[in-house]
Every structure is written in C-alpha cells, then in structure tokens.
Amino acid sequence: MRLSADMNYFAFALKRRLAVRVVAIAPIAFGRMLISLTPAHAEVMSADQVAAMSVAAEVAVTPASIADPAPEPSVAQAPAAAVSQPALMPLNPTPDALALPTDVTIDLTQPLTLDQALEVAIRNNLGLQISELQLQRARAQLNQALGQLYPTFSFQASVGQATRPSGQPAYLPLNVQQQLSLQQQQQQQGLQQLTGQQLEASRILANQVQRLQQRFQGSQLTTFADQQNLELQQQLQQLQNSATQAATPSSFTPVTLAPVNQLNSTNFFTNLFGATAGATSNAALVMNYTLFTSGGRAASIQAARDQVRFSELEVQRQLDQLLLDVSTDYYLAQQAKVQVQIAEAAVANAQVTLRDAVAFERAGIGTLLDVLTAEVSLANAQQNLSQARNLEVTTRRQLAQRLNVNQSVDVAIADRVEPEGQWPLSVEDSILLAFANRVELEQRLLQRQIALKNRQVALAAIRPQVSLFASGNMLDHLTDSLDPRFGYGVGIQMQLALFDGGNARASAARQEALAATAEAQYANQKDIIRLEVETAYINLKANETNITTARTAVTQATEGLRLARLRFQAGVGTQQEVTSAETNLTQAQGNLLAAILNYNRSLAVLKRAVGYPAQTRLSSATVAPAAQGQ
C-alpha cells in the first residue's frame, strides 16, 4: 500500500541523519489521529489530507454528473415549485407590511434547499406581489371599459320650499304664559299702528281746511250773495269739526288677533320661516345609451384587453426573473459557504506547517526564517478565513432579503455544491426556442397594438357620436290638494365636434409614435435575447470543461501537498515547497468551486434566456372574447 511505501521511504531517509533528528521528526510524523476511510479504501491519511479531501468532497463532481445528467422532463417545461411544508411557515413575512419592527433579533436559522428557496420567493417576494396587484388593476380597467356596452340609469329627487317675506312668522310650540305675553305685544303693536293712521288722517284734513280758508278769504267773498256766503261758512264749519274730531282719537277698541302660529308636523312645510307659497317635490329617472361612437368604444375595450394580457405577461416575466435572481443569490451564498470551508482547510494546513517548522527549529534542523514564513502563511490564511465568513453572512442576508422572510429568521444553505445537469439543445435551437417563449417579445407587440387602439379612440372624439336618451319625471306641490303631475321625454342625440384645437389629432400622432417605438423595441429585444442565449450557452460549455479540469487539479494538488510535506518532514524538501503546495491546493479547490457554481449560474441564465415556462399564480379564467359593436 501507498502508506507502507511512504513509511519505508521515510525510515530510509531518517537512517541517513542523526539520531536527534529521528527523535525530533517521529512525533511530527505520527502525532496526529489517523482517520480511516471506507472499507474499500482502507488507507490512513494525515489531518491535512483529510481536510483537503473533505473540501474536495463538498465540491466534488464525478464524470457521470456531467456526461450523464439527471434527465429533465422537457425543454418546454420547468419544474414546478415544491409543495408548501410546515417547516417553511416561520419564513412568512410580517403580516402588516407597514409596521416597523421595534427590535431585530434573529432567533431562528432555517436551512433551505434551492427548491425551497424558490417556493418561499414565489410566496413572499414583494416585487412579484406588486406585479399581481397591477394585473388586478388592469382587470378592473377592463371591467370599466366593458361598462360602455350597457346603458346608464340615473335617479334624481328633490324637495324644496318657496318663501315670500309677506308671510306670518311662525314659532315653535309655547306655554300659556309665553302665549299671553306674545298676544299683549301684538295688541300694543296694533294700537300703535291705529294711532299712527288717525294722526295721518288729521294732518291731511287740516291741510284741506287750510287751503279752503285761503280760497274764500278776502275780496273773493264780496262777489257772492249772502246765501252763498252762508253755505260756504257752513261747509267750512263742518270741515273744522271733522278736523277736530280726527285730531282727537276716540277710545281704542282691541282688535281680535289671530292665534299664535306654531310649527308642528302638519304645517312645517307651509309655515317654515313664514313661508306662504308651499313646498314642492320633484323626481326624475334618466336613461342614456350610446348607439354609435365611430369605433371608439370597441377600440377602448380591445386596448383594455390587451393591457390585461400585457400585465399577465409582466407577472410571468417577473416570475422568471425572480427565479433567476433567487438562484443566483443562492449560488453566491453556496459559494461563500464552501469558500469558508476551503479557508478553514487552508488554516489547518498552515497550522500543521507552522508546527512542523517550529519543531524543526527547536530540533536544530530548521531555521527561524522557516518559522516566520509559516507564521505569515498562517496569518494570511486566517485573514482569508475572516473575509470568507464575512462574505458568507452578507450573501445569506442578501438571499433573505430576496425571499422577504421574517425579520427574526436567517437562512442557511442546505444543498451541496454539484452540477445541476446538462443542456440538451444546440445554440441554434436554443435561440429559436427563446424567440418562441420569451414574453418580452409579445409584450412589445401588445404595446404596439395598444397604441394603435388608443389612436383610434383619440380620433373618435372628432367623429360623430350618436346616443339615445329617455327620461320620466314627477312634480307635486305638497300644500295643495292636486295630484302629482307626471312627464316624460325620449329622443336621439347626435354630437360632432367641429373644432377642438387639434387636440384629438395630436393625441393620435402621439399614439402613432408610441407604436413606432414599440416596433423598434421589438427588433432591439430580439438582438438582446439572442446575445443572452449565446453568451449563456458559451459560458455553460466553458464551465463544463473547467469542472473536469479543476477536479483533476484538486486531486493533483492534494497529492502534491502530501508529498511536499513528507519531503519536508524527511528533511529533503524545503518550507517553500510546502507553502507553494498549500497555495496550489487552495487555489485548485477554489477553481473547482467556481467552475461548478459558474456552470450552475450559466445554466440558470440560459434557462431564463430561452424563457422556460414556469408555474405562476395566475387564475385559469380567460378573458372573454372581444365585444362586438361600434
């Protein structure tokens, strides 16, 4: 066996040296625990070899894993998301999306496989939820557009009160004392009004008597006979008596006053604020229906349908991109995790080298320079380990943010690093499949169609619009004894905008520009998709080759480190050879890790580039066919 041959070589080298060297080297060669492998490989290896092989096993790939990958269902089908498991329930986000946590304490670490991470992302990701809300909004807009196919009905009702200032004031219900006081006030007001009227009559009569006296005074009376003068004197006396009587009012006789007008349930409308005209009620039912819109209605409905389809494709696009982003973040976290293991193995190798160098220096067969070199190598390995651990924490938090898990949960990586499978198509077939499956191309076509339909809607605003209307109304005076009166109206209305300042044609020109933009974006999207497919395919094939090469390099580097350490322990090698062998092993392990993960990333990018259909949460209900009509 290899171990016995190595020991023979080691014993032969020791015989050529001093006995003190034998005493110094023996504990180093046999001091560490021997770890046995499987029964089929009953070899005993040193601790540094075991650490190196454990890291290699974490990222190991057999030739069959690349040459004969696990068969996939179909190129046109993507694996469905895993069924929800109770173990994933703690990963649900906070129910209240607007609540801020009072403290952030991570009290749960949940290991996830890639399939579980994809399931959690589909359930929790906020970007995907926003796209689904936009889809709901588009469906609501479609229902709003479909409402144009039906007539509109409106009902109006009103109750009013006409008021004139000559009405008698009305009061709220009063008690007896308040009513007597109010009647006394009314009597005083009536007495003052009557006295004023008498004074005014006396003043007028006095003026008439004065004018009559002035007329018959002086020489005018000599031309009349005595009989005439006597009659005039009698008339003048009567006028004076009337004036005297008018100036002296007789005793006041109280007038009979009307009872106090109080408000109650029966006279509320007729007596409110002294109103005397009465209240009226009016009700009307109006129906309108657009018969002809010059194609505007059908165009707006079809544009709404296309917008719903566009939103559905946007949800699909967001889902495809989410699957790629989660896979990329998962592979980054996976790479950081294995990089920590590689760094830990490098630290273990550096510690063994430092211990050997110290032992040789104490035995007098090594130098202080070898010890210092080993210490520097150990410090560098420890620094790389610290950076790898920092990167692992960062990538795990990035994955948790993508999954939108609860604030108290941290995610960990559960899958081993191994290739996902082999791509079964050529680059030409992959490009054709991408052109057939990518939703971005259909989205550009829908944008063009929506713009053309909106152009038709804009031009319909300056074309004839024909509508049918019908109405019925009822009018009633609440204070009279007549029955309500009814009326109706029906007719057809035609509307044509003669001049709108060029607004409609400018809007149509804007939609034409949007349609042309969508056409250019469609052509550009085809070039982008082809470049994505070709780039991902080339990277996939290159990394497939790199996996085999890196696996061979890890095996050779592990064997080289073992031989270099034995040479150094036997005194025929140098410290520099061991350090170089450790560096080569660490680099080879990193290259193997990078090759496998780059292969998986390239495969995920290629699947995304060709637009693999994925299971979505869209409802199975299909949109109704386009409405027939103008």
Side-chain angles (χ1 to χ4, degrees):
M1 298 177 65
R2 176 182 295 178
L3 182 59
S4 60
D6 292 340
M7 295 303 301
N8 292 333
Y9 172 78
F10 181 63
F12 175 75
L14 289 179
K15 291 180 181 179
R16 300 172 56 185
R17 299 188 178 275
L18 300 175
V20 65
R21 295 185 178 182
V22 176
V23 176
I25 295 174
I28 300 175
F30 302 99
R32 301 197 64 179
M33 181 184 299
L34 299 180
I35 301 177
S36 60
L37 300 180
T38 59
H41 303 80
E43 299 185 31
V44 180
M45 307 181 66
S46 61
D48 58 322
Q49 291 172 301
V50 173
M53 292 301 294
S54 64
V55 176
E58 179 69 22
V59 298
V61 53
T62 60
S65 63
I66 295 298
D68 299 323
E72 297 187 359
S74 172
V75 177
Q77 297 180 358
V83 181
S84 298
Q85 302 177 6
L88 301 181
M89 290 301 102
L91 298 177
N92 291 332
T94 304
D96 187 2
L98 302 181
L100 292 177
T102 57
D103 58 344
V104 180
T105 303
I106 298 177
D107 55 6
L108 176 63
T109 300
Q110 179 75 33
L112 294 178
T113 64
L114 179 58
D115 293 337
Q116 291 175 337
L118 295 176
E119 177 190 352
V120 173
I122 295 175
R123 187 181 63 199
N124 295 346
N125 186 260
L126 294 177
L128 187 60
Q129 294 176 9
I130 292 174
S131 299
E132 291 180 342
L133 292 176
Q134 292 175 349
L135 173 58
Q136 296 179 10
R137 183 184 64 181
R139 287 173 174 170
Q141 291 177 350
L142 174 59
N143 294 332
Q144 181 180 1
L146 291 174
Q148 303 177 38
L149 298 173
Y150 304 97
T152 60
F153 292 88
S154 62
F155 177 76
Q156 301 174 356
S158 63
V159 177
Q161 176 67 48
T163 303
R164 289 200 296 265
S166 60
Q168 181 182 1
Y171 304 93
L172 295 175
L174 306 174
N175 55 32
V176 177
Q177 184 65 30
Q178 291 174 339
Q179 292 182 5
L180 293 177
S181 176
L182 185 59
Q183 288 179 354
Q184 291 177 1
Q185 293 178 3
Q186 292 179 357
Q187 288 179 351
Q188 292 177 1
Q189 292 176 359
L191 179 60
Q192 293 176 358
Q193 183 179 2
L194 181 59
T195 303
Q197 292 176 357
Q198 290 179 349
L199 292 177
E200 181 66 20
S202 300
R203 185 183 62 80
I204 295 174
L205 185 58
N207 291 336
Q208 292 178 356
V209 170
Q210 184 180 2
R211 287 196 300 270
L212 186 60
Q213 288 177 350
Q214 292 176 357
R215 179 179 178 184
F216 293 102
Q217 285 179 356
S219 57
Q220 295 179 357
L221 296 176
T222 58
T223 59
F224 293 92
D226 293 338
Q227 184 64 29
Q228 293 176 342
N229 291 334
L230 180 60
E231 293 177 357
L232 291 174
Q233 289 295 333
Q234 292 177 354
Q235 293 179 1
L236 181 60
Q237 186 64 35
Q238 292 176 358
L239 290 174
Q240 288 178 351
N241 294 335
S242 299
T244 302
Q245 184 178 2
T248 305
S250 59
S251 59
F252 174 75
T253 301
V255 297
T256 302
L257 299 178
V260 178
N261 191 12
Q262 299 180 0
L263 290 179
N264 50 51
S265 59
T266 59
N267 64 358
F268 177 81
F269 291 104
T270 58
N271 296 323
L272 184 63
F273 300 107
T276 59
T280 59
S281 63
N282 186 15
L285 179 64
V286 181
M287 185 275 292
N288 284 285
Y289 179 69
T290 304
L291 297 176
F292 180 76
T293 62
S294 298
R297 177 171 55 193
S300 63
I301 293 176
Q302 185 59 42
R305 294 186 189 278
D306 294 338
Q307 186 63 46
V308 170
R309 178 57 181 167
F310 181 88
S311 299
E312 291 177 350
L313 295 177
E314 181 63 20
V315 173
Q316 180 66 53
R317 190 193 68 82
Q318 288 281 358
L319 178 59
D320 293 341
Q321 187 63 36
L322 176 62
L323 297 180
L324 175 61
D325 294 339
V326 172
S327 300
T328 301
D329 292 342
Y330 191 90
Y331 292 144
L332 286 175
Q334 199 175 40
Q335 183 176 7
K337 173 187 175 182
V338 180
Q339 197 67 43
V340 170
Q341 298 175 357
I342 294 175
E344 290 175 348
V347 170
N349 291 333
Q351 290 175 345
V352 173
T353 302
L354 177 60
R355 188 180 63 183
D356 293 346
V358 171
F360 275 106
E361 194 271 335
R362 290 178 180 177
I365 59 176
T367 63
L368 182 61
L369 178 61
D370 294 336
V371 176
L372 295 177
T373 302
E375 290 178 348
V376 171
S377 299
L378 177 60
N380 293 334
Q382 290 176 342
Q383 184 177 4
N384 293 335
L385 176 59
S386 177
Q387 293 177 353
R389 288 174 175 172
N390 179 45
L391 181 61
E392 181 186 16
V393 174
T394 303
T395 54
R396 285 168 59 177
R397 292 313 306 166
Q398 179 178 349
L399 178 60
Q401 185 273 335
R402 185 82 65 183
L403 301 182
N404 188 30
V405 297
N406 197 293
Q407 297 292 332
S408 61
V409 178
D410 188 19
V411 295
I413 303 303
D415 284 346
R416 293 171 55 88
V417 178
E418 53 190 14
E420 294 294 337
Q422 190 176 16
W423 186 251
L425 299 179
S426 63
V427 61
E428 294 82 4
D429 294 337
S430 300
I431 293 175
L432 296 178
L433 182 63
F435 287 160
N437 290 344
R438 287 292 290 269
V439 298
E440 289 85 350
L441 295 178
E442 187 176 354
Q443 282 184 316
R444 301 292 86 78
L445 295 178
L446 287 174
Q447 285 180 336
R448 176 181 178 274
Q449 186 173 351
I450 291 173
L452 295 178
K453 294 300 180 181
N454 289 335
R455 172 185 176 275
Q456 188 174 354
V457 173
L459 293 178
I462 57 176
R463 294 173 180 172
Q465 309 284 327
V466 180
S467 60
L468 172 67
F469 66 89
S471 64
N473 54 61
M474 182 273 293
L475 177 64
D476 183 25
H477 287 278
L478 301 179
T479 56
D480 60 19
S481 60
L482 299 178
D483 295 334
R485 275 78 69 189
F486 298 91
Y488 71 93
V490 63
I492 297 179
Q493 180 181 1
M494 192 276 289
Q495 180 180 357
L496 177 62
L498 299 179
F499 180 73
D500 66 343
N503 184 27
R505 297 192 179 278
S507 178
R510 175 177 174 273
Q511 297 299 328
E512 291 176 357
L514 291 177
T517 302
E519 293 178 0
Q521 290 176 347
Y522 180 86
N524 185 45
Q525 191 69 46
K526 288 193 302 183
D527 297 337
I528 294 176
I529 291 175
R530 176 168 183 171
L531 178 61
E532 290 177 355
V533 173
E534 292 177 340
T535 303
Y537 189 88
I538 293 174
N539 292 335
L540 182 69
K541 293 302 180 181
N543 288 299
E544 184 178 348
T545 304
N546 291 338
I547 290 176
T548 304
T549 304
R551 185 175 61 85
T552 303
V554 168
T555 302
Q556 295 174 349
T558 302
E559 181 67 15
L561 176 61
R562 188 184 67 84
L563 295 177
R565 195 175 302 283
L566 287 177
R567 285 172 53 83
F568 176 70
Q569 292 173 352
V572 296
T574 63
Q575 179 71 26
Q576 184 64 32
E577 293 178 353
V578 178
T579 303
S580 299
E582 292 174 349
T583 303
N584 293 336
L585 177 59
T586 302
Q587 184 176 1
Q589 291 172 343
N591 291 339
L592 177 59
L593 172 66
I596 295 177
L597 293 178
N598 288 338
Y599 177 87
N600 293 340
R601 277 192 286 264
S602 299
L603 183 61
V605 171
L606 184 56
K607 290 181 179 180
R608 170 69 181 95
V610 300
Y612 260 10
Q615 183 178 1
T616 64
R617 288 180 289 174
L618 298 178
S619 62
S620 59
T622 57
V623 183
Q628 301 295 332
Q630 299 293 335

